[in-house]
Amino acid sequence: MAETNLRCLRVASSLSSIGIGKSDVVSVLSQHSGDVRAPVRRSDVRRDPQQHQHSSRRSHRLRSSPPLQSKLLFVDDVSSRELAVEAIATMTAPPILVFIADKEEERGADVAGHANKFSYTYDELIERGDPGFKWIRPGSEWDPVVLNYTSGTTSAPKGVVHCHRGLFVMSLDSLIDWTVPKNPVYLWTLPIFHANGWTFPWGIAAVGGTNVCLRKFDAPLIYRLIRDHGVTHMCGAPVVLNMLSASQEYSQPLDHTVNVLTAGAPPHVAVLLRAESVGFNISHGYGLTETGGLNVTCAWKPQWNRLPASDQARLKARQGVRTVGFTEIDAVDPGTGLSVERNGENVGEIVMRGSSIMLGYLKDPVGTESVLKSGWFFKGDVGVIHSDGYLEIKVRSKDIIITGGENVSSVEVEAVMYTNPVVGEVAVVARPDEFWGETPCAFVSLKPGLGMKPTEKEMIEYCRKRMPRFMVPKTVSFRNELPKTSTGKVMKFVLREIAKKMGQTSLSTGPVLSINK
Amino acid sequence: MAETNLRCLRVASSLSSIGIGKSDVVSVLSQHSGDVRAPVRRSDVRRDPQQHQHSSRRSHRLRSSPPLQSKLLFVDDVSSRELAVEAIATMTAPPILVFIADKEEERGADVAGHANKFSYTYDELIERGDPGFKWIRPGSEWDPVVLNYTSGTTSAPKGVVHCHRGLFVMSLDSLIDWTVPKNPVYLWTLPIFHANGWTFPWGIAAVGGTNVCLRKFDAPLIYRLIRDHGVTHMCGAPVVLNMLSASQEYSQPLDHTVNVLTAGAPPHVAVLLRAESVGFNISHGYGLTETGGLNVTCAWKPQWNRLPASDQARLKARQGVRTVGFTEIDAVDPGTGLSVERNGENVGEIVMRGSSIMLGYLKDPVGTESVLKSGWFFKGDVGVIHSDGYLEIKVRSKDIIITGGENVSSVEVEAVMYTNPVVGEVAVVARPDEFWGETPCAFVSLKPGLGMKPTEKEMIEYCRKRMPRFMVPKTVSFRNELPKTSTGKVMKFVLREIAKKMGQTSLSTGPVLSINK
């Protein structure tokens, strides 16, 4: 910790001495993220201390935001360097480049080809820096601290601006909610740029933890890092759990419990059961880039330990209750705006409020006002609240398939299909149909190495035995892998386009064969 | 938790229906506290949202405070009822009384004698209350939430006003710092009124904990509660540790580890070693009623586990580093105001700043301004900062004994005397002396049941072998017990008066015999 602190002070001192200060934007280009991300350090937004009300304060700050332009760009790995140098060649005011050399790489060797008087290596910044540098606090807790881009599962990416206050509260809150002890060993299976790694870049530092980083997702590598470093904590979307428990290393259970926090989609019961049998202790939460991290988590009740494993997994798949530092979450009728009854049946739109809600979308007042209304954040997710107050997300409205007047939740169909031991990943979307309106269409990747290739008919038969007939997919399309965003979310909008291009399903109620390999 | 929530809603609803609302003051009279305490619910202070700067905001709020008058008084136990009824008999606008009946007591029987149309029992408030009550949030996070009185070790009690924001941050911070997991079992050995029980009334609720309460401090009772309820966490001044490890129950080690957080005075090495050998896992911190809780704690470094137990205890007695949610702590030269060198040698005045610093003292702008200066809190404690950033409180200036030009830390003399196995408690103060100016005077209580009664000469001899001659007490006075405040702190000002009345020590360097039993 002391060493990390000194390295941070040295880099901060160097950045300051080369002219980076308050109001300047600093960005990071990293293979780990696959995209340009722009953490904003020290406010690119004018402060206005007279504004008091949170929501008006938020929107005001964004309206007064000047155009975003990076003054410095960190370039993380070798393969991103050409991209960075090409990108800035066309700029009239290009940013200063800072190249981060890999340990294995000859220091500076590859960098030299791109270096000029406006570029540095990260090691140079550390060497030149002053460890006694007096770092500068933000002028206000409402100053922007970072700009994230949403990964765009359902729409174009948006720039999400958070302030110091929001991420401070969220960081403390997440540590408490997940009961992170002092000196954890944290493995970065969750990309740091994904909603700020759910605030654990700050949180792990706050409890004196060790960060174990990796540049690519690879199940055998992850099992090796867990063993070699005694990893205690890691985060990731359910797909991470799925990939780990589908790995060949799975046959060797872990020699210690690894706490895994998952979010981003409701984890399927079968995936939870598989991962826990390996030795992962799964916690589940819900949040969005715009809400700063996981604001809702499935707080475990001790009495649930007495239930059968499958009931436990079903309960664990609930998103749960607000974390203690968050203000409020509710499900409301979109028409009346009133809370829906908390009976586990009545579906409402999820609305949230609390300190960690974003200031707003960058240079997008219309987009900001469409989600931040009268102090509440609306993102269009829908769900029920059970009588004990636990939220359960149903599906985003786009994930409801309306077939013959029946609403089918794609998540429920997926959950059943995941119980099939040959299924690696599955995503269900709507396919247009003249007769039924829409029909469920499943895209499936099989687990590698099993050597079993079921037919579409067999998959459909599997579903028929386990769900009402109207929910059964009429189409099953096999894929080597499903298209994903850089954060590992399945891009359902891509699959919807593919399903649309398949044309209409036949008027017969039998399945249409459509095997794409 | 659900039941507690419903009980709170019912009581809140009843209070609301009998006319208690925003700006009203509600107080508690409890044997547990031994004094009238006044938790202020929902602001007795006018809000002013235009004020932005924390420090000016703080002082402004207090200057605009109307006279404090309780509208309702909770009376906790039977023995306080006569006192409450007598006290309000003389008031022109007496508060509504709410009697809290003990479980063992015939419900309402004893209450009946005092009841009138302006009094209720707590159970009535619960029965009449509406569990669906919509509770009212504070208008601003800066609204006062509670009024505590400092226990007055060195001066008259002062009313300390905290706001929602401050105690919210302090509550989260304390949970993280002590790594309190979900569903702890917390034993209330620390009085709730003592700096708000260091915020654990809120903190334990936030993690779904069980509160085990007790009305009086009694070592055998505490050991029984620990065993019967599986207590995992408790807090208290070092005297609590001392009493527990001096108890006859001490011969039976605990069957599970109990985490104890201690503060209020530097725990003596010998006391720490004794308590840890019983099975208590001790953490140590520092804070004041005015700073909202423990803002500085002795964060344990894993490499310290390899040191001998006595070295571990010495390190654990350091106050440590700021908690993650607190802003800053420093030791400054009282003359220049500059930070003293962090070398473990240079003594400075401790200054602190952060969200959890009080709004100020109630109706005492002069007192408030004497401790809150340019955004920092000054209370007059002195200490050193070690080269690794760990704070170690030396002694409050009044606890320095100046003898023959040498400064003697009473704490250091006490630490040595505690290593004597017959010593139960010890407090060292200055005794006036014509020749030396002052001399160290020790007040000692012996452990019960040992049957050993050393003479003053033997105690002095014990010290001579273990400390420089100028530090050795010239007087040792044996007592059955030492005078203490209601929070268990030794009242050194009382002992100083006793020492003064003893008259001057002899000009001889030999000890003066003074055995008071």
Side-chain angles (χ1 to χ4, degrees):
Chain A
M1 284 303 290
E3 191 191 336
T4 304
N5 182 40
L6 291 181
R7 283 171 65 97
C8 291
L9 288 171
R10 283 169 176 273
V11 171
S13 134
S14 289
L15 293 181
S16 178
S17 71
I18 59 178
I20 306 294
K22 218 152 185 158
S23 306
D24 291 329
V25 176
V26 170
S27 300
V28 177
L29 178 65
S30 164
Q31 193 69 8
H32 193 221
S33 86
D35 201 351
V36 178
R37 303 293 158 178
V40 186
R41 299 249 164 246
R42 309 212 178 106
S43 178
D44 64 326
V45 175
R46 187 161 54 81
R47 287 199 294 127
D48 181 354
Q50 296 315 309
Q51 286 285 344
H52 192 73
Q53 249 290 315
H54 296 197
S55 50
S56 68
R57 186 189 291 256
R58 288 200 165 95
S59 52
H60 172 84
R61 282 179 180 264
L62 288 163
R63 275 191 227 106
S64 64
S65 176
L68 179 74
Q69 192 161 37
S70 290
K71 202 162 166 186
L72 187 140
L73 177 63
F74 286 102
V75 183
D76 178 32
D77 48 346
V78 181
S79 56
S80 303
R81 282 184 198 149
E82 293 289 348
L83 178 63
V85 171
E86 272 171 37
I88 69 165
T90 61
M91 294 182 185
T92 50
I96 298 166
L97 294 182
V98 176
F99 297 107
I100 302 172
D102 208 320
K103 260 195 185 159
E104 288 92 57
E105 174 185 23
E106 191 71 41
R107 215 198 122 250
D110 193 74
V111 175
H114 306 302
N116 60 44
K117 63 175 180 166
F118 299 116
S119 73
Y120 302 87
T121 66
Y122 193 81
D123 287 327
E124 280 171 345
L125 297 189
I126 290 175
E127 278 164 29
R128 293 180 182 189
D130 170 15
F133 181 65
K134 299 288 174 211
W135 59 284
I136 301 151
R137 293 178 187 274
S140 156
E141 64 190 22
W142 292 96
D143 279 355
V145 60
V146 72
L147 171 65
N148 296 138
Y149 282 91
T150 58
S151 57
T153 319
T154 54
S155 61
K158 285 171 182 288
V160 173
V161 183
H162 280 288
C163 65
H164 291 264
R165 174 194 172 93
L167 295 186
F168 167 79
V169 171
M170 191 75 243
S171 298
L172 295 201
D173 205 18
S174 297
L175 290 174
I176 291 170
D177 198 79
W178 199 19
T179 313
V180 181
K182 297 280 174 73
N183 311 124
V185 180
Y186 185 84
L187 178 64
W188 277 99
T189 38
L190 175 72
I192 291 178
F193 70 85
H194 191 184
N196 294 305
W198 305 340
T199 69
F200 290 110
W202 299 285
I204 297 302
V207 288
T210 302
N211 291 289
V212 181
C213 300
L214 70 174
R215 279 206 165 83
K216 59 176 181 179
F217 191 95
D218 172 75
L221 171 66
I222 288 171
Y223 277 104
R224 182 168 65 73
L225 292 172
I226 288 173
R227 198 177 51 239
D228 292 355
H229 295 278
V231 168
T232 58
H233 291 75
M234 53 191 270
C235 295
V239 64
V240 167
L241 294 173
N242 201 34
M243 287 165 81
L244 285 174
S245 54
S247 158
Q248 300 201 328
E249 307 269 328
Y250 166 37
S251 52
Q252 306 161 2
L254 298 171
D255 63 357
H256 66 279
T257 298
V258 178
N259 298 290
V260 182
L261 185 55
T262 189
H268 293 292
V269 170
V271 172
L272 279 174
L273 289 176
R274 276 204 295 239
E276 297 220 321
S277 72
V278 182
F280 294 105
N281 178 31
I282 319 285
S283 303
H284 171 223
Y286 167 75
L288 302 104
T289 303
E290 291 91 334
T291 63
L294 305 192
N295 323 94
V296 179
T297 65
C298 187
W300 196 247
K301 300 181 189 178
Q303 62 267 34
W304 288 348
N305 287 325
R306 294 191 293 270
L307 297 175
S310 59
D311 284 352
Q312 290 192 25
R314 181 179 52 75
L315 288 165
K316 195 165 270 189
R318 291 185 181 171
Q319 280 68 24
V321 288
R322 71 169 174 84
T323 56
V324 65
F326 200 62
T327 306
E328 218 172 341
I329 182 154
D330 201 3
V332 299
D333 184 296
T336 65
L338 296 176
S339 301
V340 301
E341 201 182 333
R342 301 191 160 198
N343 56 9
E345 298 284 337
N346 291 25
V347 174
E349 181 172 4
I350 306 305
V351 295
M352 303 163 85
R353 62 192 183 113
S355 275
S356 63
I357 303 284
M358 65 171 180
L359 293 174
Y361 295 122
L362 186 79
K363 292 188 278 181
D364 182 5
V366 174
T368 301
E369 279 163 29
S370 74
V371 295
L372 282 175
K373 289 177 279 198
S374 37
W376 289 85
F377 174 75
F378 292 70
K379 186 63 189 285
D381 282 352
V382 298
V384 300
I385 298 186
H386 292 272
S387 55
D388 62 356
Y390 279 58
L391 167 72
E392 186 171 353
I393 297 289
K394 282 313 200 184
V395 276
R396 300 188 187 216
S397 47
K398 291 199 177 168
D399 288 337
I400 293 176
I401 300 157
I402 304 178
T403 182
E406 296 276 6
N407 283 9
V408 173
S409 149
S410 61
V411 175
E412 285 178 34
V413 178
E414 289 160 13
V416 171
M417 295 184 77
Y418 265 113
T419 64
N420 186 321
V422 304
V423 168
E425 285 191 276
V426 58
V428 175
V429 298
R431 181 174 172 187
D433 185 277
E434 201 172 59
F435 186 80
W436 299 108
E438 294 173 346
T439 60
C441 172
F443 291 86
V444 173
S445 71
L446 297 173
K447 269 190 215 154
L450 293 179
M452 292 173 66
K453 303 212 185 238
T455 63
E456 182 178 31
K457 194 170 174 180
E458 283 164 357
M459 287 304 296
I460 288 170
E461 197 52 42
Y462 184 87
C463 293
R464 279 234 177 112
K465 290 182 182 150
R466 291 167 176 82
M467 61 180 78
R469 195 173 179 104
F470 70 91
M471 286 175 66
V472 174
K474 300 240 181 309
T475 325
V476 176
S477 169
F478 293 95
R479 301 269 155 174
N480 281 335
E481 54 184 332
L482 304 185
K484 296 206 188 70
T485 66
S486 57
T487 64
K489 282 186 189 174
V490 173
M491 291 192 288
K492 287 206 168 174
F493 65 96
V494 172
L495 297 175
R496 267 182 222 110
E497 286 305 307
I498 296 172
K500 202 180 281 178
K501 285 182 189 140
M502 286 178 184
Q504 306 242 331
T505 37
S506 140
L507 284 181
S508 85
T509 55
V512 171
L513 288 182
S514 147
I515 313 281
N516 301 296
K517 284 289 290 194
Chain B
M1 284 302 291
E3 191 190 336
T4 303
N5 182 40
L6 291 180
R7 284 172 64 97
C8 291
L9 288 171
R10 283 170 176 274
V11 170
S13 134
S14 288
L15 292 182
S16 178
S17 72
I18 60 179
I20 306 294
K22 219 151 186 158
S23 307
D24 291 331
V25 176
V26 169
S27 300
V28 177
L29 178 65
S30 164
Q31 194 69 9
H32 193 220
S33 86
D35 200 351
V36 178
R37 305 292 157 176
V40 186
R41 300 251 162 244
R42 310 212 177 108
S43 179
D44 65 325
V45 175
R46 185 161 55 81
R47 287 199 294 128
D48 181 351
Q50 296 315 310
Q51 286 286 345
H52 192 73
Q53 249 292 316
H54 297 194
S55 51
S56 67
R57 186 190 290 256
R58 288 200 165 95
S59 51
H60 171 83
R61 280 177 182 267
L62 288 163
R63 275 191 227 104
S64 64
S65 176
L68 179 75
Q69 193 159 38
S70 289
K71 201 161 166 187
L72 187 139
L73 176 63
F74 286 101
V75 184
D76 178 33
D77 47 345
V78 180
S79 56
S80 305
R81 283 184 198 150
E82 292 289 349
L83 178 63
V85 172
E86 272 172 36
I88 69 166
T90 61
M91 295 182 185
T92 50
I96 297 165
L97 294 182
V98 177
F99 298 107
I100 302 171
D102 208 320
K103 260 194 183 159
E104 287 90 61
E105 173 186 24
E106 192 70 42
R107 214 197 123 251
D110 194 73
V111 175
H114 306 300
N116 60 44
K117 62 177 181 164
F118 300 115
S119 72
Y120 301 87
T121 67
Y122 194 81
D123 287 327
E124 280 171 345
L125 297 190
I126 291 175
E127 278 165 29
R128 295 179 180 190
D130 170 15
F133 181 64
K134 300 288 173 210
W135 58 284
I136 302 151
R137 294 178 187 274
S140 155
E141 63 190 23
W142 293 97
D143 280 355
V145 59
V146 71
L147 171 66
N148 297 136
Y149 282 92
T150 58
S151 58
T153 318
T154 54
S155 61
K158 286 172 182 287
V160 173
V161 183
H162 279 289
C163 65
H164 291 265
R165 172 194 172 94
L167 295 186
F168 167 79
V169 171
M170 191 75 243
S171 297
L172 295 201
D173 206 18
S174 297
L175 290 174
I176 291 171
D177 199 78
W178 199 17
T179 313
V180 181
K182 297 281 174 71
N183 312 124
V185 180
Y186 185 85
L187 179 64
W188 277 99
T189 37
L190 175 73
I192 292 178
F193 70 85
H194 191 183
N196 294 304
W198 305 341
T199 69
F200 290 109
W202 298 285
I204 297 302
V207 290
T210 302
N211 291 290
V212 181
C213 300
L214 69 177
R215 279 207 165 83
K216 59 176 179 177
F217 191 95
D218 172 75
L221 171 64
I222 288 171
Y223 277 105
R224 182 169 66 74
L225 292 171
I226 288 173
R227 198 177 52 238
D228 292 355
H229 295 279
V231 168
T232 58
H233 291 75
M234 53 191 270
C235 296
V239 65
V240 167
L241 293 173
N242 201 33
M243 288 165 79
L244 284 175
S245 54
S247 159
Q248 300 202 328
E249 305 269 329
Y250 166 37
S251 54
Q252 305 162 3
L254 299 171
D255 63 357
H256 65 280
T257 298
V258 179
N259 298 289
V260 182
L261 185 56
T262 188
H268 293 292
V269 170
V271 172
L272 279 174
L273 289 176
R274 276 204 296 239
E276 297 220 322
S277 73
V278 181
F280 293 106
N281 177 31
I282 319 286
S283 304
H284 170 224
Y286 167 76
L288 301 104
T289 303
E290 292 92 334
T291 63
L294 305 193
N295 322 94
V296 179
T297 65
C298 188
W300 196 246
K301 300 182 188 178
Q303 62 267 34
W304 288 348
N305 287 325
R306 294 190 294 269
L307 297 175
S310 59
D311 284 352
Q312 291 191 25
R314 181 179 52 76
L315 288 165
K316 194 165 268 187
R318 290 184 183 171
Q319 280 68 24
V321 288
R322 70 170 176 82
T323 57
V324 66
F326 200 62
T327 307
E328 219 172 340
I329 182 154
D330 201 2
V332 299
D333 183 297
T336 64
L338 297 175
S339 301
V340 300
E341 201 182 332
R342 300 192 160 197
N343 56 10
E345 298 284 338
N346 291 23
V347 174
E349 181 173 2
I350 306 306
V351 296
M352 303 163 85
R353 62 192 183 112
S355 275
S356 63
I357 302 284
M358 66 172 179
L359 294 174
Y361 294 122
L362 186 78
K363 293 188 278 180
D364 183 3
V366 174
T368 301
E369 279 163 29
S370 74
V371 296
L372 283 175
K373 289 177 278 196
S374 38
W376 289 86
F377 175 74
F378 292 71
K379 185 63 188 285
D381 281 352
V382 298
V384 299
I385 298 186
H386 292 271
S387 56
D388 62 357
Y390 279 58
L391 168 73
E392 187 170 353
I393 297 288
K394 284 313 201 182
V395 275
R396 300 189 188 215
S397 48
K398 291 199 177 168
D399 288 337
I400 293 176
I401 300 157
I402 304 179
T403 180
E406 297 275 8
N407 283 11
V408 172
S409 150
S410 62
V411 175
E412 286 178 35
V413 179
E414 290 161 12
V416 171
M417 295 185 75
Y418 265 113
T419 64
N420 187 320
V422 304
V423 167
E425 285 191 277
V426 58
V428 174
V429 299
R431 181 175 172 189
D433 185 276
E434 199 171 60
F435 186 80
W436 300 107
E438 295 172 349
T439 60
C441 172
F443 291 86
V444 173
S445 72
L446 298 173
K447 272 189 211 154
L450 293 179
M452 292 172 66
K453 305 212 185 238
T455 63
E456 181 177 31
K457 194 171 174 181
E458 283 163 356
M459 286 303 296
I460 289 170
E461 198 52 43
Y462 183 87
C463 294
R464 280 236 176 111
K465 290 183 183 151
R466 291 167 177 83
M467 60 181 78
R469 194 173 178 104
F470 70 90
M471 287 175 65
V472 174
K474 300 235 181 314
T475 324
V476 176
S477 169
F478 293 95
R479 302 270 154 174
N480 281 335
E481 54 184 331
L482 304 185
K484 297 205 187 72
T485 65
S486 57
T487 64
K489 283 185 188 174
V490 173
M491 291 192 287
K492 286 205 169 176
F493 66 95
V494 172
L495 296 177
R496 267 182 223 110
E497 286 306 307
I498 296 172
K500 203 180 279 177
K501 284 182 190 140
M502 286 177 184
Q504 306 241 331
T505 37
S506 140
L507 285 180
S508 85
T509 56
V512 172
L513 287 182
S514 148
I515 313 282
N516 302 296
K517 284 289 291 194

